[in-house]
Amino acid sequence: MIQHFRFGSPIRTDSVVQDIPVSSDAVPFLTADADGWVYTMVPDAIVYGLGEMPRGINKRGWHYVANNTDESHHGENKVSYYGAHNFLLIDGGPGGDLFGVFVDFPGKVHYDIGYTVHDTLRFATEEPDYELYILTGADLNDIAHQFRQLIGRSYIPPKWAFGLQQSRWGYKTAEDVREVARQYKENDLPLDMICMDIDYMQDYADFTINKERFPDLAALAAELKAQGIRLVPIIDAGVRIDPEEPTCTEGLEKGYFCKKEDGTPFVAAVWPGKAYFADFLRPEVRAWFGHRYKVLTDCGIEGFWNDMNEPALFYSPDRLKAFLDSMHELRGQDNIVQEEFFARVVGGAMGLMNAPEDYASFYHEVNGQRVRHDKVHNLYGGSMTRAAGEAFADLRPGKRTLLYSRSSIIGSHRYGGIWLGDNHSSWEQLLANIQMMPNVQMCGFLYSGADLCGFANDTTPDLALRWLEFGLFTPLMRNHAAGGTRPQEYYRFADQLPAIRSMLRLRYALLPYLYSTFMQAALEGTSYFRPLGFDFPADPDAREVQDQLLLGDGVMVAPVYTQNASGRHVYLPEPMKLYRIRSVDDCDTELLPAGHHYIRCALNEVLLFIRPGHVVPVAKPASCTAQLDEADLTLWACPDENGKAGCRMYSDDGETSDYAAPEHWKVLELK
Amino acid sequence: MIQHFRFGSPIRTDSVVQDIPVSSDAVPFLTADADGWVYTMVPDAIVYGLGEMPRGINKRGWHYVANNTDESHHGENKVSYYGAHNFLLIDGGPGGDLFGVFVDFPGKVHYDIGYTVHDTLRFATEEPDYELYILTGADLNDIAHQFRQLIGRSYIPPKWAFGLQQSRWGYKTAEDVREVARQYKENDLPLDMICMDIDYMQDYADFTINKERFPDLAALAAELKAQGIRLVPIIDAGVRIDPEEPTCTEGLEKGYFCKKEDGTPFVAAVWPGKAYFADFLRPEVRAWFGHRYKVLTDCGIEGFWNDMNEPALFYSPDRLKAFLDSMHELRGQDNIVQEEFFARVVGGAMGLMNAPEDYASFYHEVNGQRVRHDKVHNLYGGSMTRAAGEAFADLRPGKRTLLYSRSSIIGSHRYGGIWLGDNHSSWEQLLANIQMMPNVQMCGFLYSGADLCGFANDTTPDLALRWLEFGLFTPLMRNHAAGGTRPQEYYRFADQLPAIRSMLRLRYALLPYLYSTFMQAALEGTSYFRPLGFDFPADPDAREVQDQLLLGDGVMVAPVYTQNASGRHVYLPEPMKLYRIRSVDDCDTELLPAGHHYIRCALNEVLLFIRPGHVVPVAKPASCTAQLDEADLTLWACPDENGKAGCRMYSDDGETSDYAAPEHWKVLELK
């Protein structure tokens, strides 16, 4: 059951698709005090949810702020990332409370989940106008399913989007891109996409192509597509101020950019230098900006990533001027006290970026009303995704277009996926990736994944391999790196190449299972990844597991995420069959009883556990998704007590929007 | 066996105390190439050592630079912390190579331990002049023991230094300090020391006391000592430029400060504003500076911590001027390209702190020769510790004085302990504390520990408790916090107070075992903490363990370091007796077989494992070390196959330097 409460006069977010009457009952489970809503957690209560946030699958013991942020230093002590995913699922344990909370609000929401007092959960919106939904149901899976019905069907990408994406900030020419394709081919590594970061644009201006470095993008796209590789260019939120560029001039002429209090367009510097910001909250602006992607779809581009759309701001000219004036004052002084040095020099420079004062200095138009940006900040990135997603239905009718975004809000999961932002190359971030996946997907973002190997900092050969051994299970599988870092395309790791090749091929071989699981999750509102506690709510050991995930109906994964480990502890809530996989053709298997196990897993191995009665259909590896032969399948299986095992397998053309036909499904059974 | 090699004309570091003839043999195990020394690691080779560095007990898979650094953001991707601990211990596994390497060099040393190529270890000194020691022996414990003989006996603090230290940057008045003592007493929490951060000084000038806020330090010290509490003030490396202050005027007059190329004293800003830096590499400067502590020992102060002695530099006036000039130039520009914004504005401001250019701009006098600071940088902090340690022998003859430092080099372990620097409140840093301890102690720094609860950032009640549950085993046990963070004195956590009280009392009850283990380690060159692989080198599972430690002869600890966990996996390389401790008087025990176990450990519990044949003598808890009654002991024990168990227990007056008398030892046996 879903109860809907309304407080004040909320701004419409379009996060939900069901029209649930507003209740006048008392809000169950929660009590209100002057600081917001309060709930007392029993000692073993678990709080799931919040999507893209730091820390464990269980969010207890920290505070969080839904406040979409361009965060360059990920870590357990951050309180905000790129998404506003205001869904909590509280599991009070056997016999205890069990309910979901969705705070439907476009501004900041503050959470204290046992951060100040260990047993006390608090949350509060920054303004008094919001919608609140309380969900109850038979069990965790049921409530999660109801929530997905409430927020609508998740975005479905083309099937080739389940292949490998290779990306790097720094492919500066068509030749750089070709070299990546060539190296993948020469090293016999499968690949489906090469992402183009901001380097392909002219002066980092959206919907432009640098003709010197990319003389014929359409030809390049066609040439690579013939090899099974799609180009996936980036689009940034900020529109370069450039009187020669139609995106700038049209937007200006039509008054489509966000405005300052005095009615002039708001300006801030991002990659293209000074830029304007389209007011994506207006339907006509979304339609206009979304159709600008035609510049690239006309070149045969079939996929995009939207970036910098929190929006990130390097600085506003006003604040930079104030900082330089402040430095000018200091220049005249003989001595600077330390407090002033840290506050004005160091703090002043660092504080130019993504400054709250800037977010409070411009306005949107919402239903004809002027609304200050910071009040609706979390809607911005998701509305950019929506702009593209809505336009693609027109630009590429009946076709699926790949789209994923950095910033998001629940609701934008209907228009695109997300990647988990600018992480860094560390074992801690590999664990963060594992722990974020079920919570992000719980909030509707099924097509998601982290930058494998890590975006910032230099990766190491063992981290690259171990991260791939988890990444090969994530729907969005992309290797992406920041400029200036050590090259990390998978062919760069000479000493680990055989193992990396085997793991990439394994991904493709597992696509029948992974794609079927994804399509089931999207079409039926079920889960792709989920915590063990969802299926085993009465098992205290299963509830506590923070580093293993259930994947669809039949599989559990338990990645190795510590350096120099050649094994790990795994908890099995039921007997399962272990596949210890070195390659599709080289596994050893073992039927393991329920309980705690220490399981060896060398650097070149990955662990896959199949649940009783289930089958994982395995294809022959392929060099790209187009080459995948799903007719010739091997069935990996864990028979149940009666010797039976099966699965439902989904297959379609992978390109059109004809998802729903029942004939896409067939049942495979162990003979 | 220890082989000694010499390359070029090394600067003497005084790191070693044994005079080992220089060998003309080929260096064993290692090969040289143009970039330094190379060693190929077998797949399961473990590299121990490097002391105070990030990552696991096993240092494989990362790069490191011995380059003492004021690092404010600890994390796995850092390459340098505060200490230069150039000792490696390489264990090639059963039948494989087994050797130690000590690089005796006062400048930067670069290590690549499988960071670039997974099986390749490389290291190189920044200059061609250094001593190299290669150690071989019967086993890991033997080589570690030989290394400790080579570098000399570790510093021994007074016994009361094994009590709890409460610290905070922000105790601004005598009344603030009294309030801490009062609250500990009122809440029935034991305490032995209150640390005074820079707030007690006049204008942050060394060897001064702010008379307004601390009107009578001697009276305050006496008042607290009567309650069993010592005051432990901080001393910073930078000497405030102040014509009224004798430390400044004397040092200037005698020419004791480091000089720039033009012979004028080097100046940089730190907490006191512009400061000079004593040239601790000169014996006469050490003697002078060390005797300046008399200002405080005359007030009855018996313990100190030396800080900011890498030395940390906020900025030099020259570089600040250059930055402000650069900002002045930008002020005249209409537009700033993004590269310039990040390089000049953000990078320029951040780059003012601890700038390599500043470290290359001043000089020391070494044996009458002028030596540029960066060539001997890693000697600086340790030489400040040595200055104090040497002077205490004169200022407080026959007495032990508490001393620990932030920066260090092997050799300074003979004069003081270290704390692990400015960590932050995170679960990751709790694990880092666990993993750093055996490597730091391997390098001679027995009296060591991390800032419990975490220094920077806000801690949480559960982290405070879990960290204490490990910290109660570390020789230096200090709760310390940065200014501006949420208060974290142990009495602040109302909801966890009973458990915190039990854990603090447990520390005191365990002192007979912990102090005996410490004194044995110091006097006999054995270990306090060590990795499991040291005692079980043929057991692959034991070798791999990165989150359990052996503690002395008889104990293994396995701390819980993940949030929301109510248990953990533990590996037992031999049968052991588990004590699951809620308080000294409330434990349950279980004899566990060797192997992998999942062991419950609620938030208010700590796990202690006793090895077969061993005894842990347990005293009654006390409110401070002076109150500890070691006559009335309970023996916790794990009898061996013959039902026998025992231990050697050390007791002395805890204050004088009369350590070595054999009658301090007695044998306790299970009846």
Coordinates of all heavy atoms in Angstrom, one line a residue, chain B residues 33 48 83 98 126 178 198 209 232-233 243 291 400 418 441 517 533 538 576 611:
Chain B
D33 N 69.5 -1.4 -12.2 CA 69.5 -0.9 -13.5 C 69.5 0.6 -13.5 O 69.8 1.2 -12.4 CB 68.3 -1.5 -14.3 CG 66.9 -0.9 -13.8 OD1 66.9 0.1 -13.0 OD2 65.9 -1.4 -14.3
Y48 N 56.6 -6.6 3.6 CA 56.3 -5.9 4.9 C 57.1 -4.7 5.0 O 58.1 -4.5 4.3 CB 56.5 -6.8 6.1 CG 55.8 -8.1 6.2 CD1 56.3 -9.3 5.8 CD2 54.4 -8.1 6.6 CE1 55.6 -10.5 5.9 CE2 53.7 -9.2 6.7 CZ 54.3 -10.4 6.3 OH 53.6 -11.6 6.4
G83 N 56.6 10.0 8.2 CA 57.8 9.3 8.6 C 58.6 8.8 7.5 O 58.1 8.5 6.4
L98 N 64.0 -14.7 1.5 CA 63.5 -14.1 2.8 C 64.6 -13.1 3.2 O 65.7 -13.6 3.5 CB 63.4 -15.2 3.8 CG 62.9 -14.7 5.2 CD1 61.5 -14.2 5.2 CD2 63.0 -15.9 6.2
E126 N 66.9 9.4 -4.1 CA 66.9 10.6 -5.0 C 68.4 11.0 -5.4 O 68.6 11.6 -6.4 CB 66.2 11.7 -4.3 CG 65.9 12.9 -5.2 CD 64.5 13.1 -5.5 OE1 63.8 12.1 -5.7 OE2 64.0 14.3 -5.4
R178 N 40.4 21.8 33.0 CA 39.7 21.3 34.3 C 38.4 20.6 34.0 O 38.1 19.6 34.6 CB 39.5 22.4 35.3 CG 40.7 22.9 36.0 CD 40.4 23.8 37.2 NE 41.6 24.4 37.8 CZ 42.1 25.5 37.4 NH1 41.5 26.3 36.6 NH2 43.2 26.0 38.0
I198 N 48.1 23.8 20.5 CA 48.7 25.1 20.4 C 48.0 26.2 21.2 O 48.6 27.3 21.3 CB 48.9 25.5 18.9 CG1 47.5 25.4 18.2 CG2 49.9 24.6 18.3 CD1 47.5 25.9 16.8
I209 N 53.6 30.6 27.6 CA 52.3 30.3 28.1 C 51.4 31.5 28.1 O 51.9 32.6 28.5 CB 52.4 29.7 29.5 CG1 53.3 28.5 29.6 CG2 51.0 29.4 30.1 CD1 54.0 28.3 30.9
V232 N 50.1 17.4 29.0 CA 51.1 17.1 28.0 C 51.0 18.1 26.9 O 50.1 18.1 26.0 CB 50.8 15.7 27.4 CG1 51.8 15.3 26.3 CG2 50.8 14.6 28.4
P233 N 51.8 19.2 27.0 CA 51.8 20.3 26.0 C 52.5 19.9 24.7 O 53.3 19.1 24.6 CB 52.5 21.4 26.7 CG 53.4 20.8 27.7 CD 52.8 19.5 28.1
P243 N 60.6 39.7 18.6 CA 61.8 40.2 19.2 C 61.7 40.2 20.7 O 62.7 40.5 21.4 CB 61.9 41.7 18.7 CG 60.5 42.0 18.2 CD 59.9 40.7 17.8
H291 N 67.0 22.2 25.7 CA 67.0 22.8 27.0 C 66.0 23.9 27.1 O 65.6 24.3 28.2 CB 68.4 23.2 27.4 CG 69.3 22.1 27.8 ND1 69.9 21.3 26.9 CD2 69.6 21.6 29.1 CE1 70.6 20.3 27.6 NE2 70.4 20.5 28.9
R400 N 62.0 9.0 33.3 CA 61.4 8.9 31.9 C 60.6 10.1 31.7 O 59.8 10.5 32.5 CB 60.6 7.7 31.8 CG 61.3 6.4 32.1 CD 60.4 5.2 31.9 NE 60.6 4.2 32.9 CZ 59.9 3.1 33.0 NH1 58.8 2.9 32.3 NH2 60.2 2.2 33.9
I418 N 55.8 8.0 18.3 CA 55.1 8.8 17.3 C 53.6 8.5 17.4 O 53.2 7.5 17.8 CB 55.5 8.4 15.8 CG1 55.3 6.9 15.5 CG2 57.0 8.8 15.6 CD1 55.6 6.6 14.0
Q441 N 55.9 -0.4 14.1 CA 56.6 -1.0 15.2 C 57.8 -1.8 14.7 O 58.9 -1.8 15.4 CB 55.7 -1.9 16.1 CG 54.6 -1.0 16.8 CD 53.9 -1.7 17.8 OE1 53.5 -2.9 17.7 NE2 53.6 -1.0 18.9
T517 N 54.3 -6.7 27.7 CA 54.7 -7.0 26.3 C 55.5 -5.8 25.7 O 56.5 -6.1 25.0 CB 53.4 -7.1 25.5 OG1 52.7 -8.3 26.0 CG2 53.6 -7.3 24.0
G533 N 51.6 -13.7 9.7 CA 52.5 -14.4 8.8 C 53.9 -14.5 9.5 O 54.7 -15.4 9.1
A538 N 54.3 -20.7 7.0 CA 54.0 -21.8 6.1 C 52.5 -21.9 5.8 O 52.1 -22.8 5.1 CB 54.6 -23.1 6.5
M576 N 42.6 -21.6 19.5 CA 42.8 -20.5 20.5 C 41.5 -20.4 21.4 O 40.5 -20.9 21.0 CB 43.0 -19.2 19.8 CG 44.2 -19.0 19.0 SD 44.4 -17.4 18.3 CE 45.8 -17.6 17.2
R611 N 46.4 -17.6 22.9 CA 47.1 -18.7 22.2 C 47.4 -19.8 23.2 O 47.5 -19.6 24.4 CB 48.4 -18.2 21.5 CG 48.0 -17.2 20.5 CD 49.3 -16.6 19.8 NE 50.0 -17.7 19.1 CZ 51.1 -17.4 18.4 NH1 51.7 -16.2 18.4 NH2 51.7 -18.4 17.8

